[in-house]
Amino acid sequence: MACEISPQGVIAARSASATAALSSVARVELASGAVVPGLKPGNVVDRVAVAAAIRKALESVDAKPNSRNADMTLVIPDAAARVLLLDFDALTTKQAEALPIVRFRLKKLLPFDADEAMVSYQVMSTSRGLVRVLAVAIPPDVLSEYETVTREAGFEPGAVLPSTLAALAALENDGPSLLVNANGIGVTAAIVQNGVLLLHRSVDLQDHTGNAYASTESSLPPSPALPPEETAQDLQKVPFSSEIAQAVSVAAAYFEDTLATSPGMVLSAGPLGAEKLGRMLRDEGVGPEEGLSVRELVDSSSLLSDAVVASVPRSWLSSVTGALRG
């Protein structure tokens, strides 16, 4: 089983195995403001409502709360974690020795205490004189909120994954892919080739109180298209669709620079959906005329026929599908 908590609602899904199609899916919407993701405590604003939504969604996929089989993979919003790509000249293969080194590198990169953060890492690639590491860091109080509300619903969170990293496991091929995970509070663009994450770039479009603004966290150097000195007040004037289109444009440019080819296709994850994302890109001048088209990451073959319900659009299923395959 897998369950995603987002500001828009809770999605639950289950499958018979990591390679099987989804056998059952369910969605329970949340009132605006029930979940306000961020890097400070206070993400789960309405614990009662969120716990009830988790329980209802999971029970709808035949999960039994407070049972021996109540373990599940939990997916949380990208805005509640920081995902960074780090380069090392060398890194020991012993986790007990490598983790403090990764944590030390994060000290100057995180907007919260790296010593207290929950940190996990994975070596993405190794070549002579270069070890590239994917690091995920979450403030412990924030992680505790999501885990606690899940336990209050009667389920035990096992692995906890940020939304976009979970969705990447749903990719069907090993070729280069550009994935965009967009919703009403932010957008994350990620590039993967042969299972190696080359880029993870998030743009948050609201602050911890739910007010619109924009700030960037990126594994890239600051882009000329998005100057670091640009203030929140300036960004607040930019339409949401423009922020989405700019994020895609920056990622597509990085794709071309790094892989010497155009992405051609944007894979859409998240509740925004491929149709709306494609329309935004066309309206902002980033679309088919530039060779970019958009489709859903999760296609119909990822679901059994009786798992498809009209109330759960495929665009909502990317992260839980990847969480189950991962």
Side-chain angles (χ1 to χ4, degrees), residues 95-110:
Q95 184 175 6
E97 297 176 7
L99 185 56
I101 298 172
V102 173
R103 193 183 292 276
F104 179 78
R105 179 68 68 82
L106 291 173
K107 281 181 178 291
K108 293 183 179 179
L109 302 174
L110 295 177

Side-chain angles (χ1 to χ4, degrees), residues 142-172:
V142 172
L143 177 62
S144 177
E145 284 188 76
Y146 289 101
E147 291 180 329
T148 297
V149 75
T150 302
R151 293 190 178 104
E152 288 175 347
F155 296 91
E156 182 60 31
V160 179
L161 300 169
S163 179
T164 298
L165 288 188
L168 289 172
L171 288 171
E172 294 286 355

Side-chain angles (χ1 to χ4, degrees), residues 240 271-283 294 296:
F240 179 71
L272 182 65
E275 181 179 351
K276 190 170 184 179
L277 175 59
R279 188 165 61 247
M280 282 182 174
L281 297 184
R282 289 193 297 274
D283 291 346
V294 182
E296 295 289 354

Side-chain angles (χ1 to χ4, degrees), residues 224-240:
L226 191 60
E229 67 272 16
E230 193 167 19
T231 66
Q233 185 176 5
D234 294 331
L235 290 167
Q236 195 169 4
K237 301 173 183 176
V238 179
F240 179 71

Side-chain angles (χ1 to χ4, degrees), residues 213-275:
Y213 81 114
S215 66
T216 62
E217 295 289 338
S218 175
S219 59
L220 280 172
S223 164
L226 191 60
E229 67 272 16
E230 193 167 19
T231 66
Q233 185 176 5
D234 294 331
L235 290 167
Q236 195 169 4
K237 301 173 183 176
V238 179
F240 179 71
S241 59
S242 297
E243 290 290 350
I244 300 290
Q246 182 163 301
V248 175
S249 182
V250 170
Y254 185 80
F255 191 107
E256 293 188 23
D257 290 345
T258 305
L259 301 172
T261 185
S262 169
M265 174 77 70
V266 174
L267 298 172
S268 176
L272 182 65
E275 181 179 351

Side-chain angles (χ1 to χ4, degrees), residues 43-205:
N43 280 227
V44 182
V45 178
D46 190 340
R47 277 175 45 185
V48 173
V50 176
I54 293 170
R55 186 165 183 143
K56 183 177 180 180
L58 285 165
E59 286 181 332
S60 298
V61 298
D62 296 326
K64 307 297 182 188
N66 302 311
S67 68
R68 289 187 301 175
N69 299 319
D71 292 355
M72 43 153 292
T73 299
L74 179 63
V75 180
I76 64 175
D78 286 343
R82 282 295 175 261
V83 177
L84 296 163
L85 290 170
L86 306 175
D87 290 340
F88 296 87
D89 294 337
L91 188 68
T92 174
T93 57
K94 297 179 180 178
Q95 184 175 6
E97 297 176 7
L99 185 56
I101 298 172
V102 173
R103 193 183 292 276
F104 179 78
R105 179 68 68 82
L106 291 173
K107 281 181 178 291
K108 293 183 179 179
L109 302 174
L110 295 177
F112 48 88
D113 189 347
D115 290 330
E116 300 294 329
M118 305 302 293
V119 175
S120 62
Y121 76 94
Q122 178 181 349
V123 175
M124 285 280 99
S125 61
T126 303
S127 59
R128 181 172 297 180
L130 177 64
V131 179
R132 172 153 288 189
V133 169
L134 168 67
V136 181
I138 306 175
D141 291 345
V142 172
L143 177 62
S144 177
E145 284 188 76
Y146 289 101
E147 291 180 329
T148 297
V149 75
T150 302
R151 293 190 178 104
E152 288 175 347
F155 296 91
E156 182 60 31
V160 179
L161 300 169
S163 179
T164 298
L165 288 188
L168 289 172
L171 288 171
E172 294 286 355
N173 61 67
D174 290 333
S177 299
L178 170 58
L179 180 143
V180 175
N181 186 355
N183 54 46
I185 61 169
V187 55
T188 299
I191 299 173
V192 175
Q193 184 181 37
N194 297 325
V196 176
L197 183 65
L198 304 177
L199 169 73
H200 186 285
R201 183 177 187 271
S202 294
V203 180
D204 298 334
L205 300 177

